[in-house]
Amino acid sequence: MITIEREIMMIKTLMAMMLSFMILGCTTTSTDSLKNNMSERQKINSQVNETLVQLYKEAKGSEQMALQAKGILIFPSVYTAALVVGGEYGKGALRIGNKNAGYYQTVTGSLGVQAGAQSKAIILFFMTKESLTDFQKSNGWTAGAHANIALFKVGADGTIDTDTAKASIVGFVLTNGGLMFNASLNGTKVSKLDI
């Protein structure tokens, strides 16, 4: 026969066990989230490094320009898919002085006669402190609306055109086939990731 005191003790024990499981569940979820974020950052960092190496090979003078840049925003893989309505999405990192200063995502939508899918890398060099600060302070930044981007041009000697080098933000677009010369970055939306 179970006494009332024993029944109360069993209820208290059961409640303590439930509370322990809830706390462990929250801790596990939080730990898993931290692990996933760390894994995501490592993946982005690795892809960013590979993209910069490819850029320096493809665009003569870009490595020297990178040394002068106040910050570089790199999206290693921006995926584009379209069937009348199109969209682009990618994750990347902002580098200031060879150190990460945040992680970002880009999202762009379009409408028109289009079909297909592809991947490209987008790299933005912030050549002035003002352009970098404006970008960092924005809560959602759009190319063409918040700042104009000069898409790089190559001069007669095969190096980056001097007019391009004078712009406050210089953009590069890379595909598997190399640099894209006729791309437009206007409308590219960028926001900070919390990872």
Side-chain angles (χ1 to χ4, degrees), residues 56-113:
Y56 300 154
K57 285 180 189 175
E58 298 277 339
K60 193 174 172 183
S62 61
E63 191 167 6
Q64 291 76 19
M65 184 181 257
L67 294 172
Q68 296 170 356
K70 305 305 179 207
I72 305 172
L73 182 62
I74 308 105
F75 291 104
S77 296
V78 177
Y79 299 100
T80 304
L83 187 56
V84 180
V85 175
E88 294 182 349
Y89 179 78
K91 294 179 183 178
L94 175 65
R95 295 253 171 110
I96 299 175
N98 286 329
K99 293 183 182 169
N100 285 342
Y103 295 90
Y104 292 83
Q105 66 182 353
T106 180
V107 178
T108 306
S110 60
L111 183 63
V113 180

Side-chain angles (χ1 to χ4, degrees), residues 39-156:
S39 174
E40 185 71 19
R41 288 190 301 266
Q42 289 172 341
K43 179 181 172 187
I44 292 170
N45 292 339
S46 175
Q47 292 173 340
V48 161
N49 292 335
E50 291 170 11
T51 300
L52 287 174
V53 168
Q54 182 184 357
L55 175 67
Y56 300 154
K57 285 180 189 175
E58 298 277 339
K60 193 174 172 183
S62 61
E63 191 167 6
Q64 291 76 19
M65 184 181 257
L67 294 172
Q68 296 170 356
K70 305 305 179 207
I72 305 172
L73 182 62
I74 308 105
F75 291 104
S77 296
V78 177
Y79 299 100
T80 304
L83 187 56
V84 180
V85 175
E88 294 182 349
Y89 179 78
K91 294 179 183 178
L94 175 65
R95 295 253 171 110
I96 299 175
N98 286 329
K99 293 183 182 169
N100 285 342
Y103 295 90
Y104 292 83
Q105 66 182 353
T106 180
V107 178
T108 306
S110 60
L111 183 63
V113 180
Q114 51 191 338
Q118 67 177 5
S119 174
K120 63 185 174 190
I122 298 174
I123 303 103
L124 302 178
F125 284 14
F126 294 92
M127 301 307 294
T128 64
K129 185 70 177 161
E130 181 183 28
S131 65
L132 177 61
T133 301
D134 289 347
F135 171 76
Q136 288 179 296
K137 286 184 177 179
S138 70
N139 186 14
W141 184 88
T142 303
H146 291 98
N148 288 322
I149 298 172
L151 200 60
F152 94 103
K153 294 184 182 101
V154 177

